[in-house]
């Protein structure tokens, strides 16, 4: 929203956030070293506020902060508990909370400053100015939008793997290659494999181009082999040559559309299909996924139909989120699919006897199409 409306993004950081939480339970602790009472050395302290290390500390801080925001006119989003909205007529202010890191934006600079002043008077908080670096995401301001990347984080992954000077690869995986479960010798350093792959998962937040490859190597966390680690190294070599890749958000008509695909029985280990989708708001990708389906599909139509159901669920969640943000879409979101049979199945109210085995919850796509909440459109497959 900040990109198409040319809003400023502000960042705040709460100092010692967990110390602000008020405890509801009775918690006792031994007297801290250096502060013992010589008259009552066996007495204990009853805590009134939370401390770092307590299991209740994160929840107590969150309750303390979120209970204060309504006093400033904020309401919590129904679909995203970390999003808070302040709407006074034509003035909107949005607040995103991640533990003790806060992002503020809106269409009124004076209202944003008022919120800053109120938060700083209630909590020990530091104003970090315009948002430039947040949880590993680097934000660059362009004349007509925003550019978000994870270049520094990607370089840290290469340093961690000892591949800072490796040769770059033009693709994150070999074309048409499929990783087998037991192929190759067992990889001895399992901890390193899991650590690097876990870091790559976080990198997919701004890199949809590696999502499928990372999903593939994630499936062998339990017992990776040397060939699986070679696949991880190829992803790292690809990242080496694409460190400056990211996502650009620009102003465009705020239409919601999704592109869906699946590879029927593509996994040679269990013959399950993989769902892949990317969802655009205007010209900007805002959500994407590459995930193995939970059951085996008996046809390509069924595999595409399941992928369509997963995408429809995500699209409807995004639609509710946009409603909370007071964005009205000009038309129903459109799902683009390259399987004519799956489109017919989702559009036809007559239940087909050949798909009786498909779970009932998969058919909710058909219901949403019938209500006009989703639109379907064929898109040709291109090699």
């Amino acid at each position: 929203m900040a990109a198409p409306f040319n809003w400023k993004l502000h960042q705040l950081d709460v100092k010692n956030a967990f110390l602000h939480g008020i405890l509801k339970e009775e918690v006792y602790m031994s007297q801290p070293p250096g502060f013992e009472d010589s008259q009552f050395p066996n007495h204990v302290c009853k805590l009134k506020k939370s401390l770092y290390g307590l299991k209740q500390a994160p929840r107590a801080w969150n309750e303390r902060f979120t209970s204060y925001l309504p006093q400033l006119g904020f309401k919590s989003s129904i679909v995203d508990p970390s999003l808070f909205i302040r709407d006074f007529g034509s003035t909107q202010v949005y607040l995103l909370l991640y533990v003790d890191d806060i992002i503020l934006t809106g269409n009124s600079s004076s209202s944003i400053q008022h919120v800053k002043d109120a938060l700083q008077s209630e909590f020990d908080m530091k104003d970090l100015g315009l948002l430039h670096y947040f949880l590993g995401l680097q934000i660059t301001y362009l004349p007509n939008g925003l550019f978000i990347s994870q270049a520094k984080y990607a370089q840290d992954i290469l340093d961690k793997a000892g591949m800072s000077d490796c040769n770059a690869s033009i693709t994150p995986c070999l074309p048409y290659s499929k990783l087998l479960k037991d192929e190759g010798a067992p990889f001895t350093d399992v901890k390193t494999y899991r650590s690097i792959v876990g870091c790559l998962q976080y990198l997919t937040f701004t890199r949809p181009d590696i999502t499928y490859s990372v999903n593939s190597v994630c499936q062998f966390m339990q017992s990776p082999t040397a060939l699986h680690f070679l696949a991880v190294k190829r992803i790292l070599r690809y990242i080496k040559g694409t460190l400056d890749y990211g996502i650009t958000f620009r102003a465009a008509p705020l239409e919601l559309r999704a592109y869906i695909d699946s590879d029927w029985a593509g996994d040679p280990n269990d013959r399950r299909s993989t769902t892949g989708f990317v969802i655009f708001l205007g010209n900007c990708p805002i959500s994407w996924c590459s995930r193995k389906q939970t059951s085996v599909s008996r046809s390509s139509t069924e595999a595409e139909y399941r992928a369509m159901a997963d995408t429809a669920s995500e699209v409807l969640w995004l639609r509710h989120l946009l409603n909370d943000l007071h964005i009205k879409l000009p038309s129903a979101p459109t799902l683009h699919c390259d399987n004519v049979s799956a489109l017919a199945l989702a559009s036809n109210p007559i239940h087909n006897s050949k798909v009786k085995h498909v779970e009932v919850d998969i058919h909710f796509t058909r219901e949403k199409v019938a209500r006009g909440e989703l639109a379907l459109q064929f898109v040709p497959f291109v090699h």
Side-chain angles (χ1 to χ4, degrees), residues 317-339:
W317 180 85
L318 287 170
R319 189 176 184 181
H320 290 309
L321 181 62
L322 292 173
N323 286 335
D324 284 349
L325 295 172
H326 304 287
I327 293 182
K328 294 183 178 180
L329 298 175
S331 58
T334 304
L335 306 184
H336 298 267
C337 179
D338 65 348
N339 189 288

Side-chain angles (χ1 to χ4, degrees), residues 253-301:
L254 297 181
E255 301 173 332
L256 201 61
R257 66 185 191 277
Y259 294 87
I260 313 157
D261 202 1
S262 70
D263 62 338
W264 176 43
D267 192 327
N269 299 291
D270 54 17
R271 286 305 172 188
R272 295 184 184 181
S273 308
T274 299
T275 293
F277 67 75
V278 59
I279 302 173
F280 288 81
L281 180 62
N283 296 326
C284 308
I286 59 172
S287 181
W288 49 86
C289 172
S290 177
R291 180 173 57 236
K292 188 189 290 188
Q293 296 180 2
T294 56
S295 59
V296 177
S297 297
R298 299 177 63 184
S299 66
S300 60
T301 298

Side-chain angles (χ1 to χ4, degrees), residues 105-122:
T105 191
N107 61 0
S108 172
S109 300
S110 58
S111 297
I112 292 175
Q113 187 59 48
H114 172 73
V115 172
K116 284 184 179 181
D117 295 339
L119 290 176
Q120 288 174 331
S121 64
E122 183 70 15

